Amino acid sequence: MDNDDAHIAGDFFLNSSTTDTTRRKTFLEHIQRIIPRQTIIYIQYCLLRIPFVLIYDYLFTEKFSSLFENLFKDLTQFIDHDNYLFIKPISYLIHSHLFQLLIQVTLRFSIPVLGLLILILLLLCSDRRLVIFYSYSISLLVIYFDYQMSCITDNQSSSSINMYILQFLLSSIYIQMLNIRPRVPSYKLQTRLCHLAPFVLIITHYLIPSSYNIYLLKIYYLIWTFIHLSELFIYHQQTIIDIIRIQFIQDLYHLYGNFGLQTLINYLQTRIHIVTLLKIFWLTKILVLPLCIRTIYTNPYIANVTLNINTTNLNDNITLENQTMTYNHTLVNTIYFTSLFYGTETMFTLISLACLISHIMKSISHRLFRLLHLWTEDVEQIGTVVGVMFFLLLFQSNITRLDLNRRHVPLLKAFSLLIVALFHFLHTILEPQLLKVAMQTMTTRMAFTQTDGNQQEEKEENENEKNIPSTSIFSTTTLRSYHHRHVYTCLSILFLVITYIIILWRLTTFSTWLLAVTAFSLELIVRLLASLAQYTVYVLDAHNHLANVDLFDEYIFRIKAVTSCFEFILGVFLLFNGFYILCFESRGALRALMLAIHAHLNIIKNLRRGWQIFRNRKSAWDNVNQLPLATNEQIEEYNDICSICHNTLTSGVACITPCSHIFHQKCLQKAFYATQNCALCSRPIIIERNLHRE
């Protein structure tokens, strides 16, 4: 909101500080006891801007498209009707294929883009300017309705008193709109014209002949309209000039050029509150439009109709004598179909619905991750990711053009995928925390193995070893390491995902969508099992239950390698499944683009990364094996520890580098994954070795 101009709601609270105890409190002052003033100002901010968003959304509806096409057809018929010579080239141009294509481009792109610029301009205005804009618009509508009522009353044989009452009400509305705006010299003249309107109607109807009264009414209302518009153009000419010069677009372009796109988006979000307006717009559309303006949908189609058709003469028109419809006109059906239609009517509405779903999922994820003690800064992004994913799923399903009784299917499919995506994101945050707990367990075990506090624990283990072998993983201390909330969370997610897939396979029929959800869930199951397997390896190593401690890193690598292979196979399966959907079920440019992105990110890049890791490990092992082993004399002469693991060097497992430094073979192999330089002097080991050999 613009802080330079005073809020309109603030005007209602100016008198609240008065010391006059006899003054009666206004209605808004009583409301202020229940609702804070800042909340009222925020409600006013939204109410002033939601109508513009509703009007912009109307540009995407089928009714606007049909209205635009009907106007174009009427224009074409009018031009074809006239046979003037200079009109024939225009008629030929209108009927050309290029002009028809231009009309479609204008309807689909030009009008929405122009409407978006006007919408941004109106949303950036302050509350005071918007109220003035509404006052001029409502005043103009009052003049129009007043004129129409005068014409209707004039054409009737007996005028109704209700018309005069309505005209007096319209006059009072016009006076209120004048009082909202700043006082101008034409205020008194407009007030008198407004007060005289009902009397002019009476005079023209009763005292002037009917052949002249309609012309006098037109002249009167034209003068009134001219004075009203002259006030607008005279006293707000600077604002109109700025709009004509598109000054606000230049300001936004300079902001983009100087600070970048992210700063521009943050500025618009701060000034306009785009996400909040879109959420309120969606709720307003499904509540206000059906009740006040547009149609209420009770049933999408006729479920069953029994017709009695009179076909005695084939040349006669078929008449429907009786018609029986099995509609289910319940309140639940009415609310359901009406909300479903208006909630998924246009692409702009889908964006608003995605913002609402994003806000809901963000609130749920915040509470869930805080409850599980997994809160990180990455959780803030889950709302944006879910909103974008939800919109893309609905957009590629072409939900706005589906029949009303089938629109719930893409919504349910999108929500099903969002549930699995939320579990994926939960596992992404959970896995580092789970491995962190495993590392802490290992470090704690290594730090206190030699303390006196562990002697009692060793006695208990010795007693248990009578029944359990020493290498058993089911010892008391080992099982105690699994009693952690992160482990329970991982097992709970695994159970919920498996149960969710079983329910989907029981409730739904076999389809490509079900295969996609299953593959997406299997990928999550494999990742969960891999995380638990890595945690188990860490725990076993901490309690000295591994068969070969030197193979610890090899176990971790194999677990990650198997997981990556499963993910690659499932990624290839999802690619072929999506390609089948693209070819035989639902075609679209967006679906093809998403498949291309999936193939590049999840298949090609993963394949290259996996092959590079495999080559690095192989080359690292080959390079280490080429180094000579250090003898006992060399180790004694070196008289130091391994600089990588800080453990004692022993012959048979230690190698010497060309720069005369000694390391464990396993340690040097791990170091070679990152760099082929010495860990102490940073010299290239392989190059020096080759030079030494030459």
Side-chain angles (χ1 to χ4, degrees):
M1 282 179 276
D2 195 351
N3 294 326
D4 296 336
D5 297 325
H7 294 292
I8 303 305
D11 296 341
F12 294 104
F13 299 97
L14 290 178
N15 296 325
S16 59
S17 60
T18 181
T19 57
D20 188 6
T21 57
T22 60
R23 184 181 63 85
R24 296 182 60 183
K25 292 185 177 181
T26 62
F27 176 74
L28 287 174
E29 288 176 345
H30 289 289
I31 292 292
Q32 189 182 7
R33 295 182 176 180
I34 305 173
I35 305 175
R37 175 183 175 181
Q38 197 64 28
T39 305
I40 296 177
I41 293 175
Y42 190 75
I43 293 173
Q44 162 207 291
Y45 174 84
C46 296
L47 290 178
L48 289 174
R49 288 160 178 80
I50 289 299
F52 300 126
V53 186
L54 290 171
I55 294 173
Y56 179 71
D57 177 71
Y58 182 74
L59 301 179
F60 296 88
T61 59
E62 295 182 358
K63 289 188 176 181
F64 178 78
S65 301
S66 60
L67 176 64
F68 188 84
E69 292 174 357
N70 291 333
L71 290 175
F72 179 72
K73 288 180 181 179
D74 294 339
L75 178 62
T76 305
Q77 292 176 359
F78 174 76
I79 293 176
D80 293 340
H81 181 72
D82 296 331
N83 295 324
Y84 297 107
L85 183 62
F86 66 91
I87 294 182
K88 288 184 179 180
I90 300 177
S91 177
Y92 176 77
L93 179 63
I94 289 177
H95 290 287
S96 63
H97 179 71
L98 181 61
F99 190 80
Q100 299 289 337
L101 182 62
L102 182 62
I103 291 296
Q104 294 296 327
V105 171
T106 301
L107 183 61
R108 294 181 179 273
F109 298 102
S110 301
I111 294 179
V113 170
L114 181 61
L116 180 62
L117 295 177
I118 297 175
L119 178 65
I120 294 175
L121 170 63
L122 293 173
L123 295 181
L124 285 174
C125 292
S126 62
D127 292 355
R128 172 68 68 182
R129 291 181 178 178
L130 286 180
V131 169
I132 294 175
F133 173 81
Y134 277 116
S135 67
Y136 278 108
S137 303
I138 295 174
S139 300
L140 196 60
L141 289 176
V142 166
I143 297 174
Y144 173 76
F145 285 123
D146 202 344
Y147 170 72
Q148 292 294 332
M149 292 174 59
S150 300
C151 294
I152 293 172
T153 306
D154 184 71
N155 293 330
Q156 290 178 351
S157 58
S158 59
S159 298
S160 174
I161 191 64
N162 295 329
M163 291 294 181
Y164 297 107
I165 295 175
L166 288 175
Q167 283 197 325
F168 278 108
L169 291 177
L170 289 175
S171 300
S172 63
I173 294 174
Y174 188 86
I175 296 300
Q176 291 297 326
M177 294 300 105
L178 284 177
N179 293 331
I180 289 177
R181 301 195 293 267
R183 292 294 179 91
V184 294
S186 62
Y187 172 80
K188 293 183 178 180
L189 180 58
Q190 293 187 66
T191 305
R192 291 173 182 174
L193 287 173
C194 178
H195 289 158
L196 287 175
F199 299 102
V200 170
L201 175 61
I202 296 174
I203 293 172
T204 54
H205 184 70
Y206 292 104
L207 301 179
I208 297 177
S210 58
S211 58
Y212 298 103
N213 57 6
I214 187 66
Y215 298 105
L216 292 176
L217 285 174
K218 288 182 178 180
I219 293 173
Y220 178 79
Y221 283 101
L222 283 175
I223 295 173
W224 191 3
T225 307
F226 175 77
I227 295 174
H228 174 72
L229 295 178
S230 64
E231 176 192 346
L232 174 63
F233 288 104
I234 292 174
Y235 297 100
H236 300 278
Q237 57 180 351
Q238 186 60 41
T239 304
I240 297 173
I241 291 173
D242 291 340
I243 294 174
I244 295 174
R245 293 172 55 190
I246 319 179
Q247 185 65 35
F248 82 102
I249 296 181
Q250 297 178 4
D251 295 339
L252 295 179
Y253 181 76
H254 289 318
L255 183 63
Y256 166 73
N258 295 329
F259 300 100
L261 180 61
Q262 186 64 35
T263 305
L264 177 62
I265 295 175
N266 293 336
Y267 170 76
L268 292 176
Q269 172 62 21
T270 305
R271 283 289 305 274
I272 303 177
H273 304 284
I274 301 174
V275 178
T276 304
L277 284 177
L278 290 179
K279 291 184 293 187
I280 299 176
F281 153 74
W282 190 86
L283 296 174
T284 305
K285 184 175 181 179
I286 66 172
L287 294 176
V288 176
L289 290 186
L291 298 178
C292 302
I293 302 174
R294 296 172 66 182
T295 311
I296 294 177
Y297 289 83
T298 57
N299 208 306
Y301 294 104
I302 299 175
N304 187 11
V305 180
T306 303
L307 303 177
N308 294 327
I309 304 177
N310 184 7
T311 59
T312 57
N313 190 354
L314 295 178
N315 296 326
D316 296 337
N317 294 328
I318 296 176
T319 59
L320 303 180
E321 296 179 355
N322 294 318
Q323 180 172 291
T324 305
M325 301 183 182
T326 59
Y327 276 166
N328 186 12
H329 293 290
T330 61
L331 180 61
V332 176
N333 265 3
T334 301
I335 296 174
Y336 170 72
F337 287 116
T338 304
S339 303
L340 185 62
F341 177 79
Y342 289 107
T344 59
E345 186 180 13
T346 63
M347 284 297 128
F348 190 74
T349 309
L350 292 183
I351 295 175
S352 305
L353 178 59
C355 292
L356 183 62
I357 297 299
S358 172
H359 176 73
I360 295 174
M361 293 298 291
K362 183 178 180 180
S363 302
I364 294 174
S365 62
H366 279 205
R367 288 171 173 79
L368 177 63
F369 281 88
R370 290 188 185 277
L371 180 65
L372 298 176
H373 300 278
L374 294 173
W375 176 261
T376 60
E377 294 181 356
D378 295 334
V379 180
E380 294 287 345
Q381 303 175 0
I382 189 170
T384 305
V385 174
V386 168
V388 173
M389 183 186 299
F390 184 77
F391 172 73
L392 291 177
L393 290 173
L394 294 183
F395 182 75
Q396 70 180 5
S397 65
N398 206 8
I399 188 175
T400 57
R401 296 187 179 182
L402 292 178
D403 296 334
L404 191 54
N405 60 339
R406 293 179 56 194
R407 291 191 183 183
H408 66 283
V409 177
L411 285 172
L412 294 177
K413 290 181 179 180
F415 281 119
S416 301
L417 285 173
L418 288 184
I419 292 174
V420 182
L422 182 62
F423 283 136
H424 266 278
F425 195 87
L426 180 59
H427 169 260
T428 303
I429 303 297
L430 176 64
E431 184 179 24
Q433 300 296 327
L434 184 65
L435 298 181
K436 181 180 178 181
V437 172
M439 291 292 294
Q440 290 175 352
T441 303
M442 179 184 293
T443 305
T444 305
R445 182 71 178 176
M446 293 174 61
F448 293 98
T449 49
Q450 303 299 328
T451 59
D452 296 333
N454 286 336
Q455 294 179 358
Q456 184 67 27
E457 186 178 353
E458 291 177 359
K459 292 180 180 179
E460 294 178 359
E461 290 182 3
N462 292 330
E463 293 178 358
N464 293 331
E465 285 174 359
K466 296 179 181 179
N467 298 324
I468 302 176
S470 59
T471 58
S472 175
I473 63 174
F474 299 103
S475 62
T476 305
T477 55
T478 304
L479 294 178
R480 192 180 302 161
S481 301
Y482 287 90
H483 293 286
H484 196 277
R485 60 173 175 268
H486 292 338
V487 180
Y488 294 150
T489 303
C490 197
L491 293 174
S492 302
I493 296 173
L494 184 63
F495 173 76
L496 290 174
V497 172
I498 295 174
T499 306
Y500 180 68
I501 292 300
I502 294 174
I503 292 174
L504 284 182
W505 276 88
R506 287 181 177 273
L507 296 181
T508 60
T509 57
F510 181 79
S511 62
T512 53
W513 166 81
L514 185 60
L515 291 176
V517 177
T518 305
F520 198 37
S521 302
L522 286 176
E523 182 182 359
L524 177 60
I525 292 173
V526 171
R527 289 182 177 180
L528 289 169
L529 293 176
S531 300
L532 291 174
Q534 291 183 63
Y535 183 82
T536 302
V537 172
Y538 276 104
V539 170
L540 293 179
D541 183 66
H543 295 87
N544 299 322
H545 288 321
L546 283 179
N548 190 350
V549 180
D550 295 334
L551 295 178
F552 171 80
D553 293 305
E554 189 67 23
Y555 293 149
I556 298 297
F557 172 75
R558 290 176 181 177
I559 292 173
K560 292 182 178 180
V562 172
T563 305
S564 300
C565 290
F566 270 104
E567 291 178 358
F568 179 77
I569 294 172
L570 292 174
V572 174
F573 173 78
L574 287 174
L575 178 65
F576 282 104
N577 185 70
F579 187 75
Y580 179 85
I581 296 174
L582 178 65
C583 295
F584 301 102
E585 292 184 5
S586 176
R587 298 181 181 181
L590 179 62
R591 188 180 294 276
L593 178 62
M594 297 298 293
L595 283 177
I597 294 174
H598 168 71
H600 176 70
L601 295 179
N602 299 331
I603 297 178
I604 297 176
K605 291 190 69 174
N606 286 346
L607 182 62
R608 290 177 178 176
R609 184 168 58 251
W611 179 250
Q612 187 65 33
I613 292 173
F614 174 77
R615 289 184 58 185
N616 291 341
R617 288 182 64 87
K618 188 175 183 303
S619 63
W621 181 247
D622 293 340
N623 293 331
V624 170
N625 287 335
Q626 293 175 5
L627 296 175
L629 295 176
T631 61
N632 290 328
E633 293 78 8
Q634 290 175 329
I635 294 175
E636 291 177 359
E637 182 182 356
Y638 187 69
N639 192 22
D640 201 351
I641 60 175
C642 177
S643 301
I644 299 176
C645 66
H646 297 172
N647 289 328
T648 306
L649 294 169
T650 57
S651 61
V653 295
C655 58
I656 184 170
T657 63
C659 54
S660 302
H661 293 134
I662 302 177
F663 305 96
H664 290 123
Q665 284 184 319
K666 290 289 184 180
C667 297
L668 195 58
Q669 180 186 356
K670 297 175 188 177
F672 273 6
Y673 296 158
T675 178
Q676 294 186 352
N677 298 334
C678 178
L680 289 176
C681 61
S682 300
R683 294 180 181 177
I685 296 176
I686 304 303
I687 296 178
E688 287 195 3
R689 183 183 177 279
N690 294 333
L691 294 175
H692 182 70
R693 179 183 296 179
E694 293 176 358

